[in-house]
């Protein structure tokens, strides 16, 4: 299973988290976030990481030119669209970057909202389900109703996100069968400062399932 740890700001923490077993690291390119990092800061982290780690930039309602610039300057291998981007916009990003993984985050309010997944699945490589929060775009620590996702099979790979922690990950995975998981605030001391003990605990819990 893919494991993405998001909201990375510090190079030493990135390499430690990769060594612990993360397959992907996420960098928040949303200026209003307390976890925001510039392309220069991301590049400083990315150059320290092994090639097999996915380096994913998280954007929300950004202009396509800005995404283009940051992908190139930072050396990203993936783009996560976490705002209100339309399927057409996702398709434009996909066309601009054929060799970059495009992920669309859906902030799920209700069962009806899950129907959007089938539409977006046609235009992106990967979906990511996060919990809806009326004031914040992401990194909220709010969980989804996992039972609602027991039969979720969108026809494209997908990540489960939203309020996952070392304490609740096994319960979540007993109900849901995603291709990957994505954690941010659940493995933090404060926004952008990751708690390596919690990350280690996460991988220990995941290891206990095998
Ligand atoms: O983390 C942020 O600050 C953020 C800001 C804007 C868009 C997305 C953001 N983070 C994403 O939120 C989810 C879940 O986070 P959490 O585990 O509930 O804290 C994750 O996909 C992050 O990429």
């Amino acid at each position: 299973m893919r494991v993405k740890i998001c909201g990375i700001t510090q190079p030493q923490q990135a390499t430690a988290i990769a060594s612990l077993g993360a397959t992907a690291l996420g960098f928040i390119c949303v200026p209003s976030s307390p976890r925001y990092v510039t392309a220069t800061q991301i590049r400083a982290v990315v150059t320290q990481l092994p090639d097999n780690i996915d380096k994913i930039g998280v954007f929300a309602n950004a202009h396509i030119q800005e995404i283009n610039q940051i992908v190139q300057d930072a050396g990203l291998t993936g783009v996560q669209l976490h705002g209100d981007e339309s399927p057409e916009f996702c398709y434009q990003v996909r066309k601009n970057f054929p060799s970059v993984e495009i992920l669309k985050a859906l902030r799920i309010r209700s069962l009806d909202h899950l129907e959007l997944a089938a539409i977006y699945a046609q235009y992106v490589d990967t979906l990511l389900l996060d919990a809806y929060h009326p004031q914040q775009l992401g990194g909220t620590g709010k969980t989804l109703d996992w039972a609602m996702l027991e039969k979720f099979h969108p026809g494209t790979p997908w990540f489960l996100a939203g309020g996952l922690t070392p304490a609740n990950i096994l319960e979540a995975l007993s109900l849901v069968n995603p291709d990957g998981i994505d954690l941010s605030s659940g493995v933090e001391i404060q926004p952008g400062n990751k708690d390596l003990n919690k990350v280690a605990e996460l991988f220990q819990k995941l290891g206990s399932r095998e």
Side-chain angles (χ1 to χ4, degrees):
M1 169 179 299
R2 297 176 71 185
V3 181
K4 172 168 169 271
I5 304 293
C6 206
I8 300 292
T9 62
Q10 301 177 25
Q12 303 90 319
Q13 291 192 346
T15 45
I17 291 168
S19 307
L20 284 167
T23 66
L25 298 179
F27 304 92
I28 305 295
C29 305
V30 181
S32 59
S33 167
R35 303 175 183 87
Y36 173 68
V37 275
T38 64
T40 309
Q41 286 172 297
I42 299 171
R43 182 163 274 289
V45 179
V46 161
T47 51
Q48 308 289 315
L49 291 171
D51 287 347
N52 64 342
I53 303 290
D54 302 321
K55 295 107 183 163
I56 297 177
V58 179
F59 298 84
N61 306 324
H63 289 289
I64 200 154
Q65 294 86 347
E66 185 194 347
I67 298 173
N68 289 353
Q69 196 65 53
I70 295 176
V71 167
Q72 284 169 30
D73 292 351
L76 296 171
T77 64
V79 166
Q80 178 176 323
L81 300 168
H82 212 101
D84 305 311
E85 296 86 3
S86 66
E88 293 75 21
F89 183 87
C90 294
Y91 184 58
Q92 275 305 319
V93 180
R94 160 111 299 305
K95 278 207 307 192
N96 273 19
F97 290 107
S99 58
V100 170
E101 180 183 12
I102 309 300
L103 304 91
K104 177 69 183 104
L106 299 174
R107 292 171 287 126
I108 302 299
R109 276 184 240 203
S110 66
L111 201 53
D112 293 349
H113 208 195
L114 274 180
E115 287 170 16
L116 283 176
I119 298 167
Y120 280 95
Q122 301 170 63
Y123 300 103
V124 297
D125 301 296
T126 308
L127 293 171
L128 183 148
L129 298 194
D130 193 6
Y132 176 78
H133 187 288
Q135 278 90 37
Q136 284 169 259
L137 284 167
T140 66
K142 206 163 174 278
T143 54
L144 281 155
D145 175 1
W146 300 317
M148 183 173 90
L149 299 174
E150 272 176 292
K151 297 197 172 73
F152 182 65
H153 300 293
T156 197
W158 69 283
F159 276 88
L160 177 67
L164 297 174
T165 70
N168 68 18
I169 194 66
L170 293 185
E171 185 193 347
L173 293 177
S174 71
L175 294 168
V176 188
N177 190 24
D179 301 278
I181 53 173
D182 181 9
L183 294 85
S184 183
S185 57
V187 288
E188 272 181 346
I189 297 163
Q190 61 199 45
N193 184 12
K194 297 297 162 192
D195 184 332
L196 297 183
N197 291 325
K198 284 192 181 166
V199 177
E201 188 188 345
L202 171 76
F203 285 104
Q204 183 262 320
K205 290 271 174 73
L206 293 173
S208 73
R209 296 170 74 230
E210 289 155 7

